[in-house]
Amino acid sequence: MVDPNSELFRAKQQVIYYRAEVVKYRNRILELERLVEKEKVRNNYLQQKLRVLNNEKIDSYLQEIKELQQKILELEVELEEESTFQKIKGEPSIKENTLDFYSYFNYSVVFPAEGGESVCIYSHFTIVNTGEEPLNDMVVCIKVMPVGAVILSGQISDPKLLQGPGTAREDIKWVYAIEDWRKKIMESGEYWIKPINPKSFSTLTLKGLEITVDNYKRPIKGTIEAFIYFDATQSPSTSLNKINFQIP
């Protein structure tokens, strides 16, 4: 019988332990190899699925492109035939009227004396018509930011002053263009205005704009910009420049 305290017995016990560890790690390796093979299968499956989805999407795009190309051809033919038909009837081609104009601010900044309460910006806003078409039904939006800290005033009147008999006033050149103009100014800083009887002009100027910046709300960074509208469905024309200011 082997003595459990002998070197031989301890050596046999270590051999048994290491053999068990070898078996355990072999099993772990086999498990990992199986997982690797499984992930390879999964990867192949996903790649195949992705190829199918991409092919379906590409087919859908190709079909849509084909339909659009067909629609373009139909429209081109329609335009060509309509032009030919007008020539046969002797009717002139329809010419789209385009408006050519630009607008800009010129201004100066006046800082208060020491202890003063506000900074003032004095400005004129000018619209120049460089085209042949009159600028009818024009509406201007002057937007000031930040709301509540910048106040704009000038020769702009309440349109109600022009209502009723005896209200033809030559001194009124610009009026507010919307009914709730006060609310619009307070909520979004937008001044919607329009000229009175502009008729045909090459240059139209809104004079004497005074922009007041509340000194108690410093530091402040602000912007005044203008947008001109002729049709609510079209994008506005933006003034060539803005009034940008920063007061520490």
Side-chain angles (χ1 to χ4, degrees), residues 6-169:
S6 66
E7 291 292 334
L8 179 60
F9 180 81
R10 285 196 293 269
K12 287 182 177 181
Q13 291 296 321
Q14 287 181 349
V15 169
I16 294 171
Y17 169 77
Y18 287 128
R19 284 178 177 174
E21 287 295 304
V22 168
V23 171
K24 181 176 71 174
Y25 281 110
R26 282 178 177 173
N27 291 337
R28 181 59 179 162
I29 290 171
L30 291 173
E31 182 181 355
L32 291 173
E33 289 177 346
R34 188 180 66 84
L35 289 175
V36 169
E37 291 298 323
K38 186 176 182 180
E39 290 304 315
K40 287 181 179 179
V41 173
R42 188 193 308 278
N43 186 52
N44 291 334
Y45 169 78
L46 291 175
Q47 287 183 353
Q48 184 179 1
K49 194 70 175 179
L50 185 60
R51 283 194 294 269
V52 171
L53 291 175
N54 285 337
N55 290 335
E56 291 177 354
K57 190 174 293 185
I58 291 172
D59 291 341
S60 174
Y61 288 159
L62 290 175
Q63 180 63 28
E64 187 174 350
I65 291 172
K66 184 177 179 180
E67 293 176 357
L68 290 173
Q69 289 175 336
Q70 180 64 29
K71 186 65 176 179
I72 291 172
L73 288 174
E74 293 175 359
L75 290 173
E76 288 178 346
V77 170
E78 183 178 345
L79 288 172
E80 291 172 358
E81 293 303 317
E82 183 65 23
S83 177
T84 303
F85 183 69
Q86 288 183 354
K87 289 179 181 179
I88 293 174
K89 291 180 63 178
E91 295 180 354
S93 299
I94 298 174
K95 181 180 179 181
E96 182 179 358
N97 295 327
T98 58
L99 300 177
D100 296 314
F101 67 95
Y102 61 90
S103 62
Y104 62 92
F105 290 98
N106 51 19
Y107 61 95
S108 59
V109 181
V110 178
F111 290 92
E114 187 175 354
E117 295 183 355
S118 60
V119 176
C120 292
I121 302 172
Y122 298 96
S123 173
H124 298 330
F125 177 67
T126 300
I127 303 168
V128 180
N129 184 7
T130 58
E132 299 179 356
E133 296 295 327
L135 303 180
N136 297 323
D137 301 321
M138 177 176 60
V139 176
V140 179
C141 173
I142 299 178
K143 186 174 181 64
V144 301
M145 294 296 289
V147 178
V150 181
I151 300 174
L152 182 144
S153 60
Q155 300 175 10
I156 310 168
S157 302
D158 190 327
K160 293 180 180 179
L161 296 176
L162 300 177
Q163 298 176 0
T167 55
R169 296 178 51 175

Side-chain angles (χ1 to χ4, degrees), residues 116-245:
E117 295 183 355
S118 60
V119 176
C120 292
I121 302 172
Y122 298 96
S123 173
H124 298 330
F125 177 67
T126 300
I127 303 168
V128 180
N129 184 7
T130 58
E132 299 179 356
E133 296 295 327
L135 303 180
N136 297 323
D137 301 321
M138 177 176 60
V139 176
V140 179
C141 173
I142 299 178
K143 186 174 181 64
V144 301
M145 294 296 289
V147 178
V150 181
I151 300 174
L152 182 144
S153 60
Q155 300 175 10
I156 310 168
S157 302
D158 190 327
K160 293 180 180 179
L161 296 176
L162 300 177
Q163 298 176 0
T167 55
R169 296 178 51 175
E170 295 183 358
D171 61 319
I172 297 180
K173 305 297 183 183
W174 292 79
V175 296
Y176 292 100
I178 56 178
E179 291 184 3
D180 57 345
W181 55 272
R182 289 188 181 88
K183 181 179 179 182
K184 199 70 173 176
I185 291 171
M186 294 178 63
E187 291 182 349
S188 60
E190 295 178 357
Y191 293 73
W192 289 83
I193 61 177
K194 63 181 180 180
I196 298 299
N197 300 322
K199 298 181 180 180
S200 297
F201 67 88
S202 59
T203 302
L204 181 66
T205 302
L206 172 57
K207 298 180 179 179
L209 287 176
E210 182 175 342
I211 299 109
T212 305
V213 182
D214 192 342
N215 200 30
Y216 291 109
K217 296 186 178 180
R218 296 168 63 176
I220 184 172
K221 182 178 180 181
T223 303
I224 298 99
E225 55 187 330
F227 307 90
I228 299 178
Y229 293 82
F230 292 94
D231 189 333
T233 62
Q234 296 180 353
S235 299
S237 172
T238 308
S239 57
L240 294 179
N241 63 335
K242 304 176 184 179
I243 301 176
N244 296 310
F245 61 89

